[in-house]
Amino acid sequence: MSRKGKVFLVGAGCGDYDLITLRGMALLEKCEVVVYDSLTDNRLLDFVPPSAEKICVGKRAGNHSEKQENINNLLVRKASEGKTIVRLKGGDPFVFGRGGEEILSLQANGIEYSIVPGISSSIAVPELAGIPATHREISRSVHIITGHTSEDLLPDDMNKYAALSGTLVFLMGLKNLKRISQALISCGKDKNTPSAVISNGASASQKIVKGKLKNIADNAEKAEIKSPATTVIGDAAAFDFLPTIKLPLNNITVTVTGTINLVKKLSVQFENLGAKTENMNHLDVIEYAENQDFDNALLNIGAYGVIALTSINGAEIFFERLLYLNIDIRSLYNVKFAIIGSGTAEALKSHGIIADIIPDVYIAEALSREIVNKVPNNEKILILRAEQGSSLLTENLDKAKKIYDDIKIYDVKSNGKKTDNTEITTDFLTFASSSGVNAFFESGCKISSETKLVCIGNSTAETLKRYGVNNLLIAKTQNVSGIIDTILREVKNEQIQTSEKK
């Protein structure tokens, strides 16, 4: 008997990816199929298993989107294949999300389902723009209205909306904003009622325009407000509760490139400093599944006095292979570890191992110097690293007459993602390797003249120069922290210069 599939309707929240619930994230991390809207933050797809099928069904106002009936049929078909499906919907599934229609279709076809609520833009977007939905003695109710089509704005309804004393929140109504405001005024709403329009709410590109009901449409047009936009009408819209806690990278945007693990790690650190990030993981780590030299080395691990690991990827592959070969970690009791990078050190520590040798500068040449100085000539070294690892590591070991096996256990390659004509317009763009640079330009991306490039080390800088990029910042410390420190320093310098001009 074939396995029946299940469908989880998950609210992705609005704006930035980290507004999803923990429950929703847990389901994303183990699904087999994700069916997602354009209104969701694409960074959520980084948490989906690589093997999962990813299907975009549009659903953005003004652009092509899949018909709802086709989406319903898609969910039924995939569930009939026995798949575990996450239907990822912007905001909340039941707040103008048409989640009910999808459930009716699932019920009609005997498909099991569950629902995970999401943070609705109707409340969160105004809130993150400093506007409360309710406030004591000012607004005791909130009314959520779709302004998407003419049928949603019938005269009888507008009479009722105009008579309400609470906060009115119109979703997807930007193109009808003038009609909405004029209709409310003609139905008796005070023309001086505080109003606001928030475009791209809860994201780095959020834009807020305020005014009165009589002029809010004109103000939004002058400010060139774009969809998606949320309109708030009511006395609560006069409040300004924008956050006053300022982090070092508040209002700074950063595009992060690299492998998915690196992108996740670096993005989280940027976001903790207040930055908004865009992720571009154009690189895949390709582990060499059939690698007899690697297996033989691990099965004879006692022959080595030192294991050299140059990356987090290498460390993770090393420990995974030990388990695969059923090698007890206690067999490493007499082995020293020489590594590059704090991330690699953390990967070792998660397995209960503290690195013995770790240079201050996170490059192969520095590691080779440390090994030459600290490892006796009679101790054999096992080097486990990427296919394109620096030749300086082994050249220096050869000069010092060290005994070693240099085994390539993985490669980092472009995953072939094409983003032709996509222009990077964030404040900063980061590169952590030459491979990342090559994959980026091979994808067809372009870079705005306003975007500053930050890279690790001279090798990555030289690769950028081959693509005609000369205006770039090179991290003094050649690691992830170095990239962050470089951007912090640059932002601070810009703030000082701006202050001096005033």
Side-chain angles (χ1 to χ4, degrees), residues 158 162 179-192 212-215:
M158 297 308 288
R179 287 187 61 236
I180 291 169
S181 55
Q182 290 175 345
L184 287 172
I185 291 170
S186 66
C187 290
K189 196 78 172 172
D190 186 344
K191 64 182 180 180
N192 291 314
K212 305 293 185 182
L213 184 57
K214 63 184 178 183
N215 62 14

Side-chain angles (χ1 to χ4, degrees), residues 65-84:
S65 61
E66 191 62 75
K67 291 181 179 179
Q68 187 61 50
E69 183 181 358
N70 292 344
I71 297 173
N72 298 346
N73 293 337
L74 173 66
L75 295 176
V76 170
R77 186 171 72 252
K78 290 298 176 182
S80 299
E81 294 173 4
K83 302 290 181 63
T84 298

